[in-house]
């Protein structure tokens, strides 16, 4: 079956002039935010990011870290992603939150990516909070992050997988007016929805036409809470909850 890994292997040396930046490339950004990098503010290239993580030894249990590292390994010397710049990589994990975000720039676009749950205890606690608390502390971090990195940008895309998809939508609809006006798309990849109060929010209605939500045929996480923006249901090779893993999507 044709997956994101197959996409990267086939297109990694096909330039953006020949095949424009697209939804699959945005999914790649939603995956790379899971990388186990320390926080940094510098603008660095994909090869430099790969070099900084070359000595990484797995010291935390996470399904997505090895997959994100595999993606980085595929694209580290690719023609397609040679001009992709990574900046403002932020990771926070303490007793209050598990939060990750980074910014990518390429071909005049700014892609802001939010990380999903990393499997930690506090990460799962935050997932449960989505059922009754708006905004969560992590929502506030996402809004602040988007405002800081995108205030002077145009052609903004906001992406996220799982909890990161929820953060992408929430931050996008609560961004300042000048930022909202520059947001081209918000991609939530099997991320939880919003409660009814948020869906009725005027800025949500304003942005709804720019939200793109992808869920697999068997979706647990992505069908939680209110839904208005589902735009694509895709096949997955995973069984049960493993359909949530974007590397199983066809």
């Amino acid at each position: 079956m044709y997956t994101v890994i197959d996409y990267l292997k086939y297109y990694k040396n096909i330039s953006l002039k020949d095949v424009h930046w697209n939804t699959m490339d945005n999914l790649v950004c939603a995956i790379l935010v899971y990388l186990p990098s320390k926080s940094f503010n510098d603008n660095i290239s994909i090869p430099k990011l790969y070099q900084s993580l070359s000595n990484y030894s797995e010291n935390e249990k996470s399904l997505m870290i090895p997959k994100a590292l595999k993606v980085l390994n595929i694209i580290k010397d690719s023609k397609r992603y040679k001009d992709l710049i990574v900046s403002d990589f932020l990771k926070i994990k303490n007793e209050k939150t598990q939060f990750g975000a980074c910014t990518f720039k390429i071909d005049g676009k700014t892609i802001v990516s939010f990380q999903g749950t990393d499997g930690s205890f506090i990460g799962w606690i935050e997932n449960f909070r989505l059922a009754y608390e708006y905004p969560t502390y992590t929502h506030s971090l996402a809004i602040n992050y988007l405002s800081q990195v995108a205030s002077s940008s145009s052609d903004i895309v906001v992406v996220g997988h799982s909890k990161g998809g929820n953060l992408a939508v929430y931050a996008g609809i609560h961004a300042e007016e000048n930022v909202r006006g520059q947001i081209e798309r918000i991609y939530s990849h099997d991320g939880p929805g919003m409660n009814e109060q948020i869906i009725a929010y005027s800025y949500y209605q304003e942005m709804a036409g720019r939200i793109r939500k992808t869920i697999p045929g068997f979706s647990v996480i992505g069908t939680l809470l209110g839904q208005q923006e589902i735009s694509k249901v895709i096949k997955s090779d995973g069984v049960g909850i493993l359909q949530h893993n974007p590397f199983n999507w066809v």
Side-chain angles (χ1 to χ4, degrees):
M1 293 294 183
Y2 189 79
T3 67
V4 64
I5 294 298
D6 297 307
Y7 172 84
L8 290 172
K9 289 179 177 178
Y10 185 85
Y11 285 99
K12 69 175 185 176
N13 288 317
I14 297 178
S15 72
L16 293 177
K17 291 182 179 179
D18 295 322
V19 176
H20 294 310
W21 190 267
N22 60 68
T23 304
M24 291 294 286
D25 299 304
N26 289 321
L27 175 60
V28 169
C29 292
I31 291 168
L32 289 175
V33 72
Y34 284 97
L35 286 168
S37 174
K38 296 179 181 179
S39 298
F40 62 82
N41 294 322
D42 298 336
N43 296 316
I44 69 172
S45 65
I46 288 295
K48 186 174 180 180
L49 180 61
Y50 175 80
Q51 185 178 12
S52 72
L53 294 172
S54 59
N55 295 323
Y56 169 76
S57 58
E58 188 172 349
N59 55 13
E60 57 181 300
K61 294 181 179 179
S62 172
L63 175 66
M64 292 299 292
I65 286 178
K67 300 290 189 181
L69 287 168
K70 182 176 182 178
V71 167
L72 184 62
N73 183 55
I74 293 172
I75 69 173
K76 67 180 185 299
D77 55 359
S78 68
K79 181 177 180 180
R80 183 168 186 80
Y81 301 98
K82 68 181 180 66
D83 295 324
L84 184 63
I85 298 299
V86 188
S87 66
D88 298 288
F89 207 104
L90 178 62
K91 291 292 180 76
I92 303 173
K93 184 155 64 175
N94 52 38
E95 69 281 358
K96 293 178 63 176
T97 187
Q98 173 259 311
F99 177 79
C102 65
T103 300
F104 302 90
K105 293 189 177 183
I106 190 169
D107 199 30
K109 291 185 179 297
T110 298
I111 303 102
V112 180
S113 180
F114 291 106
Q115 182 187 338
T117 306
D118 66 355
S120 63
F121 181 71
I122 183 59
W124 282 105
I125 290 294
E126 286 185 329
N127 288 343
F128 295 132
R129 286 174 180 160
L130 293 177
Y132 62 86
E133 183 180 340
Y134 275 81
T136 64
Y137 178 66
T138 311
H139 282 143
S140 300
L141 290 176
I143 294 171
N144 291 338
Y145 181 89
L146 180 60
S147 297
Q148 290 174 10
V149 302
S151 59
S152 60
S153 302
S154 58
D155 294 327
I156 302 167
V157 176
V158 192
V159 302
H161 165 255
S162 193
K163 180 184 73 175
N166 177 278
L167 295 178
V169 174
Y170 195 89
I173 64 176
H174 287 87
E176 297 176 357
E177 184 176 0
N178 64 312
V179 174
R180 291 200 313 275
Q182 299 299 324
I183 294 176
E184 177 185 319
R185 289 285 183 271
I186 301 174
Y187 290 96
S188 175
H189 295 295
D190 207 28
M194 301 287 160
N195 64 26
E196 293 181 0
Q197 182 179 358
I198 299 299
I199 290 175
Y201 186 49
S202 61
Y203 291 154
Y204 182 98
Q205 297 300 321
E206 172 193 325
M207 300 296 292
R210 285 176 263 176
I211 298 172
R212 299 290 183 268
K213 182 159 185 177
T214 301
I215 63 170
F218 179 85
S219 175
V220 176
I221 307 300
T223 55
L224 294 174
L225 303 174
Q227 306 293 331
Q228 277 198 347
E229 70 275 13
I230 292 176
S231 56
K232 184 176 291 187
V233 179
I234 57 175
K235 183 179 180 180
S236 173
D237 283 341
V239 177
I241 190 63
L242 292 179
Q243 291 202 15
H244 184 59
N245 184 342
F247 289 89
N248 292 329
W249 296 353
V250 180

